[in-house]
Amino acid sequence: MTENAQQQPTAPSTELPTQYAPADVEGPLYESWVERGYFGADAKSDKPAYTIVIPPPNVTGSLHLGHAFQHTLMDALTRRKRMQGFESLWLPGMDHAGIATQNKVEQQLAEEGKSRQDLGREAFVERVWQWKEEYGGKILGQMRRLGDGVDWDRERFTMDEGLSKAVQTIFKKLYEDELIYRAERIINWCPRCLTAISDIEVEYQEDDGELVSIKYGEGEETLVVATTRAETMLGDTAVAVHPDDERYRHLVGKRIKLPLTDRTIPVVADTHVDPEFGTGAVKVTPAHDPNDFAIGQRHGLESITVMDERAVITVHGPFAGLDRFEARSAIVAALRSQGRIVAEKRPYVHSVGHCSRCGTTIEPRLSMQWWVKVGPLAKAAGDAVRDGRVRIHPEDMSKRYFDWVDNMHDWCISRQLWWGHRIPVWYGPEGEVVCVGPDEEPPGTEAEGWKQDTDVLDTWFSSGLWPFSTLGWPEQTADLRKFYPTDVLLTGHDIIFFWVARMMMFGLYAMDGEVPFKTIALTGLVRDERGKKMSKSFGNVVDPLDWMDKYGSDAVRFTLARGANPGTDVPIGEDWVQASRNFANKIWNATRFALMNGATVEGPLPDASEMSATDRWILSRLNKTVAEVDAFYDDFQFARLSDALYHFAWDEVFDWYVELSKTTFQAGGRGAEVSQRVLGEVLDVTLKLLHPVVPFVTDTLWTTLTGGESVVIADWPADSGFRDEAAEREIESLQSVITEVRRFRADQGLQPGQRVPARLTLDGTALVPHEAAIRQLLRLQPEGDAFAATATLPVAGATVALDLSGTIDVAAERKRLAKDLAAAEKEKAQATAKLGNEAFLAKAPDNVVDKIRTRLAKADEDIARIQAQLDRLPQA
């Protein structure tokens, strides 16, 4: 592979197919990049490192628009840095996705009439590995379709041997530092997945439920409590009131009868109770509610578990064996029959937690679990952003980060699954607890009474190690020394809590205070063209592969990048992808034209004194664009850099410079040679600037133009500092003339190719050298002997007189315009009258008034436009 492809060009080919066919180009071109090793990173290189680790997609996943969006941006960053001379590493991999993957395999087993218990733990885990090999990693092939420039030789998986060693190492280190402990606490339990899940894996939604008010106690010693979960009353061990609530002061410390049971429970005073909410009295069920658990801890209350792991009632009595929802109805009916239901509200809409994996309603449950003591870890994660070692972009997203890390609760890391990293703790016959490191032997055998903990670790525990475990930690590898800390974490703002904070805590802890990444660049989420969330239930989910097949990967990438404003959501529709495909075709056609007209990159640029104003203008604009694009990249402004490149390439290079150069090429001579070299330079730089976002079409065109090996390894353009403000003003005047006359021609109904006699008065302006170009672009014939000016347009210090006598019927055109003017004036009068009517304004809705104001503004615009057209026409 050559170090600098452009320094050793071969003779470029001027042959390009008449049309660009992405399907024929993209697959073979990508494989050639991989085979040549362009995306491999060398830890022994003297180049400065630039590192991004991919947010590892789930092994169960497939490429969706959110993936394609973030991958496009990460690829653009690493491609640019590679071209800038950095040892650029974009490290790929996948997450084992504990619950999601186990659910997939359990569903597969269910279709065979089996369960995981039928197989046993070892056989089930082996079955999951088989599933992973057969179905997992589908997304990796799709990443190749998108053009991801990742180092495939460094691909990692959160369950591979090296990462498993990292997990065991950090677990033991945290355990020995007393930052991991085991305790019985209230957790979020999924009765379907049969495991604990963390707070951030609970999705809340508004559900229809019921609110019932129940009378506890007898006679004067009664209290009314309201609940949406009547079934949990079987586990109540107190009623709580506020200590300052005069209504219940006489009951505090007494015991009252718990309905439907033979138990009495105390009335306790606790400041957690809001005396203004409801009756000011709340039932306390320490084993089934986190707030109640805290009250129970403060008052030494018993915790009674009334449901099993499948949310089936377990306490003795008529409700035992009922599902929680069946029990709820049965218990309310029983209370109603005893006259203890004081009030019922149904439906009662309230926020209910659901498992993010399967949608089942979460059940708070008292359970013995493993926890991370996050206090000191979270403080370090907050300090790293506050003191500037880590930058969050956009900065206003920092508040969400601090809200989380500054108020983080201890993290439940154990999961009651079989697929995942098994907790490396062994329990002995005499109650011994031993944490085993990766290179250590278990303390004894099962025959000797030793057993390993049956739980596995939360998926986010292993993915929290991703920035350093993927580089070889805990070994001090060359990769770790070269590529850590990583430079940018680019991810969606929706997983700040899931993943970003975990990596910050573990990175700072494991790497002796060294941050895992220098910048956290947060993106929005992809939505449909109306700004609506993409969802299967809405029927608006798009498979990006369908769009890639139809329009090409470059078109999908460019559309996503053009919508990528930091931290804000990205609307996308098929029309926009089609427009991006048109842009790729425009690049193709313009480069093909340039090659056919001798555009070249050979030799140095001619001296500015040899260049025309058009040449100097485009080079000045080119260098300004280079500087602008660099600034946008450094600020993660992908939408703005893509828009700047789009308008520079399409508007200035293709629509203006290429068109203006046609007359120069036709004239031949030294002027044509200079413009051929300038056009080659402009295309060379423009294709390089576009390459990180649209890699396929740009590499195909650049290698054809320059004869270089690949734009992937070409040098990133630098701003040469060349500026020519005079040339820019001159070409702006030229553009004004052409734009204004084109607008006038269109207003008169002339066809674009229709020729019109014209007299140009350019004396005393900088436009004199451009007369040939003006006439060619505007289809203006020489004036001739019979010339009679019927319309005169003064613009940009010049005068363009047109003879329209042979092209339009001036009298008929005046009549048509007069009719249009009368209609516009009538529209204005009607709108003005309505807006001046106070009675109408007082009654009309705001949207109706806004529409009338819009009609008035449109009428004013139409009047001004039509009057200007009439003024330009001669008298009939």
Side-chain angles (χ1 to χ4, degrees):
M1 184 172 72
T2 59
E3 186 69 17
N4 186 324
Q6 194 181 354
Q7 289 179 356
Q8 298 177 331
T10 58
S13 167
T14 60
E15 293 297 320
L16 280 173
T18 55
Q19 290 185 329
Y20 177 50
D24 296 339
V25 170
E26 292 176 351
L29 184 55
Y30 183 83
E31 294 309 319
S32 76
W33 292 336
V34 174
E35 288 167 9
R36 294 177 186 180
Y38 292 162
F39 306 136
D42 183 1
K44 298 178 182 177
S45 167
D46 293 332
K47 296 178 182 178
Y50 182 82
T51 315
I52 293 180
V53 291
I54 203 166
N58 287 352
V59 69
T60 59
S62 61
L63 191 74
H64 57 64
L65 274 176
H67 288 125
F69 170 54
Q70 292 181 359
H71 287 208
T72 294
L73 307 187
M74 286 184 278
D75 196 31
L77 290 172
T78 49
R79 284 178 183 269
R80 172 176 175 257
K81 285 295 183 180
R82 188 178 293 112
M83 295 172 74
Q84 286 182 317
F86 285 77
E87 197 62 41
S88 188
L89 170 61
W90 186 18
L91 193 147
M94 292 183 296
D95 192 283
H96 66 279
I99 296 177
T101 306
Q102 179 156 320
N103 282 348
K104 287 280 188 184
V105 178
E106 288 197 78
Q107 289 166 13
Q108 195 178 64
L109 286 173
E111 292 172 4
E112 301 171 11
K114 299 177 183 176
S115 69
R116 60 176 162 131
Q117 285 77 15
D118 293 332
L119 271 66
R121 184 169 193 140
E122 287 188 17
F124 176 78
V125 170
E126 179 58 33
R127 178 72 177 256
V128 181
W129 276 108
Q130 291 172 9
W131 183 92
K132 185 259 181 186
E133 294 304 316
E134 186 173 355
Y135 299 103
K138 177 182 178 184
I139 200 170
L140 299 179
Q142 295 169 334
M143 286 166 56
R144 301 172 94 92
R145 281 289 312 277
L146 190 64
D148 285 6
V150 297
D151 187 345
W152 290 110
D153 291 340
R154 284 183 168 86
E155 181 191 335
R156 303 305 298 267
F157 178 53
T158 49
M159 288 280 285
D160 69 28
E161 185 178 349
L163 270 64
S164 295
K165 182 177 182 179
V167 167
Q168 282 186 270
T169 300
I170 201 164
F171 186 99
K172 181 162 187 179
K173 180 174 170 61
L174 288 162
Y175 180 81
E176 290 179 343
D177 287 346
E178 298 183 348
L179 292 172
I180 280 183
Y181 62 94
R182 193 169 184 243
E184 192 174 43
R185 300 269 185 87
I186 290 284
I187 48 91
N188 301 300
W189 181 265
C190 176
R192 157 62 184 81
C193 298
L194 299 180
T195 182
I197 62 174
S198 65
D199 291 343
I200 52 179
E201 291 171 306
V202 178
E203 293 181 350
Y204 288 90
Q205 63 188 48
E206 297 296 309
D207 286 358
D208 286 344
E210 61 181 357
L211 179 68
V212 293
S213 297
I214 309 169
K215 183 172 65 175
Y216 282 28
E218 302 289 351
E220 295 182 0
E221 296 182 353
T222 62
L223 286 165
V224 175
V225 300
T227 181
T228 59
R229 302 170 67 223
E231 68 279 8
T232 63
M233 68 164 293
L234 301 175
D236 286 358
T237 54
V239 173
V241 297
H242 194 276
D244 298 331
D245 195 332
E246 293 291 339
R247 293 172 295 175
Y248 305 120
R249 189 183 293 268
H250 68 290
L251 292 177
V252 174
K254 293 185 177 182
R255 301 184 71 86
I256 61 174
K257 181 79 165 56
L258 177 66
L260 305 183
T261 72
D262 58 1
R263 294 190 290 117
T264 61
I265 57 176
V267 178
V268 299
D270 196 281
T271 54
H272 170 76
V273 180
D274 180 0
E276 302 299 323
F277 183 77
T279 64
V282 298
K283 60 192 286 298
V284 182
T285 321
H288 292 278
D289 184 274
N291 293 321
D292 293 3
F293 179 77
I295 294 174
Q297 292 286 294
R298 288 193 288 272
H299 297 277
L301 300 176
E302 183 184 4
S303 294
I304 301 175
T305 299
V306 300
M307 285 179 241
D308 67 11
E309 61 184 9
R310 297 183 185 276
V312 172
I313 302 298
T314 58
V315 290
H316 295 296
F319 311 110
L322 294 179
D323 168 84
R324 54 183 165 164
F325 300 120
E326 296 172 334
R328 180 176 301 172
S329 299
I331 287 170
V332 170
L335 291 166
R336 190 184 298 115
S337 68
Q338 293 183 8
R340 290 191 172 274
I341 299 296
V342 176
E344 296 180 68
K345 186 174 182 180
R346 190 182 293 110
Y348 178 72
V349 180
H350 61 135
S351 181
V352 178
H354 294 259
C355 174
S356 63
R357 302 296 181 185
C358 69
T360 302
T361 300
I362 289 303
E363 190 62 47
R365 187 167 188 258
L366 185 62
S367 180
M368 183 67 76
Q369 302 285 343
W370 285 94
W371 304 80
V372 172
K373 186 186 294 182
V374 300
L377 302 174
K379 181 181 184 304
D383 290 345
V385 175
R386 287 189 169 94
D387 64 24
R389 283 176 290 156
V390 177
R391 167 193 173 211
I392 292 180
H393 187 279
E395 189 176 352
D396 58 10
M397 286 282 179
S398 298
K399 183 179 184 302
R400 295 184 66 185
Y401 176 80
F402 291 131
D403 285 346
W404 180 251
V405 298
D406 292 348
N407 300 287
M408 195 182 295
H409 301 296
D410 283 2
W411 171 20
C412 176
I413 56 171
S414 45
R415 298 292 181 268
Q416 289 65 54
L417 303 170
W418 287 355
W419 172 245
H421 295 101
R422 196 163 173 182
I423 288 176
V425 171
W426 290 73
Y427 305 105
E430 304 300 325
E432 303 95 329
V433 179
V434 177
C435 182
V436 178
D439 300 318
E440 299 171 351
E441 291 295 324
T445 66
E446 287 199 20
E448 296 169 333
W450 287 87
K451 292 185 178 180
Q452 186 177 359
D453 197 298
T454 57
D455 289 352
V456 300
L457 288 163
D458 178 10
T459 297
W460 298 102
F461 189 95
S462 52
S463 60
L465 315 181
W466 191 251
F468 52 93
S469 64
T470 52
L471 296 172
W473 187 91
E475 306 303 327
Q476 294 303 307
T477 63
D479 275 1
L480 197 63
R481 288 190 293 271
K482 178 72 174 179
F483 297 112
Y484 190 90
T486 66
D487 288 86
V488 177
L489 171 70
L490 190 143
T491 191
H493 62 67
D494 57 324
I495 59 171
I496 291 177
F497 319 126
F498 287 90
W499 191 44
V500 177
R502 313 289 192 214
M503 288 188 289
M504 285 286 283
M505 292 192 301
F506 282 166
L508 290 161
Y509 174 75
M511 299 300 292
D512 299 321
E514 196 167 17
V515 298
F517 23 75
K518 300 164 191 171
T519 301
I520 301 168
L522 297 171
T523 70
L525 308 179
V526 177
R527 298 182 177 271
D528 71 13
E529 63 267 33
R530 296 178 182 84
K532 194 172 184 180
K533 180 181 178 180
M534 288 193 174
S535 166
K536 290 180 181 178
S537 60
F538 296 153
N540 61 351
V541 172
V542 173
D543 184 345
L545 294 176
D546 292 341
W547 281 353
M548 289 184 215
D549 290 340
K550 195 170 182 180
Y551 302 110
S553 298
D554 282 334
V556 174
R557 290 171 61 114
F558 193 67
T559 304
L560 291 164
R562 281 195 85 181
N565 290 299
T568 59
D569 290 346
V570 183
I572 183 171
E574 187 167 1
D575 289 350
W576 305 337
V577 184
Q578 187 172 355
S580 295
R581 189 271 311 275
N582 295 342
F583 179 52
N585 289 341
K586 185 78 170 180
I587 302 169
W588 183 272
N589 292 334
T591 306
R592 188 167 176 270
F593 165 85
L595 289 168
M596 292 169 63
N597 284 274
T600 181
V601 297
E602 293 181 9
L605 276 172
D607 189 78
S609 61
E610 289 192 275
M611 295 181 189
S612 67
T614 309
D615 294 331
R616 298 195 305 277
W617 160 73
I618 197 63
L619 289 175
S620 183
R621 290 293 308 126
L622 176 69
N623 279 285
K624 285 183 178 179
T625 301
V626 170
E628 191 175 33
V629 167
D630 276 333
F632 286 145
Y633 260 116
D634 292 342
D635 199 35
F636 305 100
Q637 298 282 353
F638 296 99
R640 297 180 70 183
L641 73 88
S642 298
D643 216 44
L645 285 170
Y646 176 88
H647 288 294
F648 174 72
W650 192 306
D651 300 345
E652 297 185 279
V653 179
F654 306 149
D655 277 0
W656 283 108
Y657 184 70
V658 166
E659 291 299 316
L660 291 170
S661 298
K662 287 179 179 178
T663 53
T664 306
F665 294 149
Q666 289 169 0
R670 180 57 183 164
E673 292 177 357
V674 170
S675 290
Q676 286 167 339
R677 180 64 188 89
V678 171
L679 180 55
E681 181 74 11
V682 170
L683 286 175
D684 175 19
V685 173
T686 302
L687 292 170
K688 287 176 179 175
L689 292 174
L690 283 165
H691 172 72
V693 179
V694 283
F696 294 105
V697 69
T698 50
D699 195 42
T700 304
L701 294 174
W702 186 85
T703 53
T704 305
L705 172 71
T706 68
E709 182 180 325
S710 173
V711 72
V712 176
I713 54 170
D715 290 336
W716 182 254
D719 175 9
S720 70
F722 179 83
R723 301 287 190 275
D724 193 324
E725 301 298 336
E728 290 196 39
R729 288 192 296 273
E730 183 174 326
I731 300 305
E732 284 173 8
S733 297
L734 174 61
Q735 290 171 328
S736 296
V737 170
I738 292 171
T739 301
E740 189 64 26
V741 176
R742 279 177 173 168
R743 183 181 297 118
F744 177 75
R745 286 175 57 110
D747 288 343
Q748 306 312 311
L750 297 178
Q751 295 300 314
Q754 190 173 352
R755 294 195 168 274
V756 179
R759 176 185 299 145
L760 304 184
T761 306
L762 308 175
D763 297 344
T765 72
L767 298 175
V768 174
H770 302 288
E771 179 168 357
I774 292 172
R775 287 190 176 277
Q776 179 167 316
L777 292 176
L778 291 174
R779 304 295 190 267
L780 302 180
Q781 297 176 191
E783 54 191 278
D785 296 335
F787 179 81
T790 59
T792 303
L793 284 76
V795 58
T799 303
V800 180
L802 303 173
D803 182 354
L804 304 178
S805 57
T807 56
I808 64 170
D809 183 335
V810 174
E813 184 64 14
R814 276 192 164 277
K815 187 176 180 180
R816 182 185 71 79
L817 289 172
K819 183 179 179 182
D820 291 347
L821 182 61
E825 287 173 338
K826 181 180 179 181
E827 175 73 3
K828 177 179 180 179
Q830 290 175 342
T832 302
K834 284 190 175 182
L835 292 173
N837 185 333
E838 294 295 335
F840 169 77
L841 292 176
K843 296 179 181 178
D846 289 345
N847 65 320
V848 173
V849 175
D850 288 342
K851 284 182 180 179
I852 294 172
R853 289 196 178 108
T854 301
R855 282 170 50 195
L856 178 59
K858 176 70 165 52
D860 282 333
E861 291 175 7
D862 289 344
I863 290 168
R865 176 180 55 79
I866 296 166
Q867 191 61 60
Q869 291 176 245
L870 281 167
D871 292 344
R872 289 168 178 161
L873 286 174
Q875 295 299 319

